[in-house]
């Protein structure tokens, strides 16, 4: 089934998006679960390189992303160009942060049996992340879900707003390339 995306500024059809049914959603979940181990095993330098590639995709396609966002939500191009820049910044920050996921040593001598012992608190990927994004910043809020998930080594599924799915679909299309 097709969803018509309407530009709220002028009422024109900005584009169409396919609506997924239960079988498509189930298939996407199965693929994300299957990718879970591979994602968790990625070393930081590979995650960093991929996140930096996404930054370049956003920068290289800035005008196209901005025009897509403007068409689907009616914002002035000035603001959608800034949204693309912000999305690129989010991926840049994630690329930096994936190299320093936190670890913490703590003394355990605060109770009996803990004398001379210490504990290690370490971050681990939790698995598949489900991200739901609203209409108001359709690319930047996708970035705020996808970038940290990838930096942490998690696979992710995004459900964009039905009012503004086109920028998320464009993002997915360009990342696949």
């Amino acid at each position: 089934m097709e969803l018509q995306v309407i530009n709220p500024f002028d009422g024109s059809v900005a584009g169409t998006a396919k609506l997924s049914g239960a079988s498509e959603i189930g298939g996407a979940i199965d693929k994300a679960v299957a990718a879970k181990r591979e994602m968790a095993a990625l070393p930081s330098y590979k995650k960093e390189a991929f996140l930096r590639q996404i930054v370049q995709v956003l920068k290289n396609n800035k005008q196209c992303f901005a025009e897509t966002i403007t068409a689907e939500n009616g914002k002035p191009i000035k603001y959608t160009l800034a949204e693309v820049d912000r999305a690129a910044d989010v991926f840049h920050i994630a690329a930096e942060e994936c190299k320093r996921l936190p670890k913490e040593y703590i003394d355990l001598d605060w109770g009996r049996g803990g004398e001379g012992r210490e504990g290690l608190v370490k971050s681990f990927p939790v698995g598949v992340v489900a991200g739901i994004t609203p209409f108001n910043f359709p690319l930047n809020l996708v970035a705020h879900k996808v970038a940290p998930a990838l930096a942490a080594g998690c696979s992710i599924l995004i459900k964009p707003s039905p009012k503004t799915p086109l920028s998320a679909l464009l993002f997915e299309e360009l990342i696949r390339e």
Side-chain angles (χ1 to χ4, degrees):
M1 184 146 92
E2 292 277 314
L3 169 73
Q4 279 194 335
V5 180
I6 305 299
N7 181 322
F9 181 73
D10 64 11
S12 66
V13 175
T16 60
K18 184 178 182 250
L19 288 173
S20 297
S23 64
E24 290 93 354
I25 293 168
I29 292 169
D30 290 344
K31 287 179 183 179
V33 169
K36 186 172 112 173
R37 278 201 180 111
E38 183 180 350
M39 288 295 300
L42 279 176
S44 293
Y45 79 93
K46 286 186 178 181
K47 291 186 286 189
E48 178 195 15
F50 181 62
L51 291 163
R52 290 197 187 284
Q53 285 178 318
I54 294 173
V55 171
Q56 283 312 126
V57 165
L58 290 166
K59 288 181 177 182
N60 293 345
N61 296 281
K62 180 177 177 176
Q63 190 68 34
C64 182
F65 276 113
E67 289 172 3
T68 300
I69 298 166
T70 294
E72 70 183 345
N73 77 1
K75 278 188 203 176
I77 195 80
K78 169 184 168 182
Y79 296 116
T80 60
L81 287 166
E83 181 172 345
V84 179
D85 287 338
R86 178 66 180 125
D89 289 346
V90 170
F91 280 96
H92 175 79
I93 292 164
E96 288 296 315
E97 291 302 316
C98 79
K99 297 182 288 186
R100 47 184 171 262
L101 291 175
K103 294 177 186 154
E104 179 182 5
Y105 282 97
I106 54 174
D107 286 325
L108 298 177
D109 64 354
W110 42 264
R112 289 187 185 150
E115 189 172 331
R117 294 178 187 224
E118 54 185 28
L120 170 64
V121 179
K122 190 175 175 185
S123 298
F124 295 94
V126 294
V128 178
V129 174
I132 300 172
T133 59
F135 70 94
N136 53 339
F137 291 94
L139 179 62
N140 191 35
L141 293 174
V142 165
H144 277 274
K145 307 262 191 264
V146 173
L150 296 179
C154 298
S155 53
I156 182 166
L157 296 168
I158 292 290
K159 189 257 177 228
S161 167
K163 292 181 179 182
T164 56
L166 302 178
S167 53
L169 292 170
L170 176 61
F171 177 76
E172 184 265 343
E173 177 186 324
L174 291 173
I175 296 308
R176 279 188 186 271
E177 290 177 10

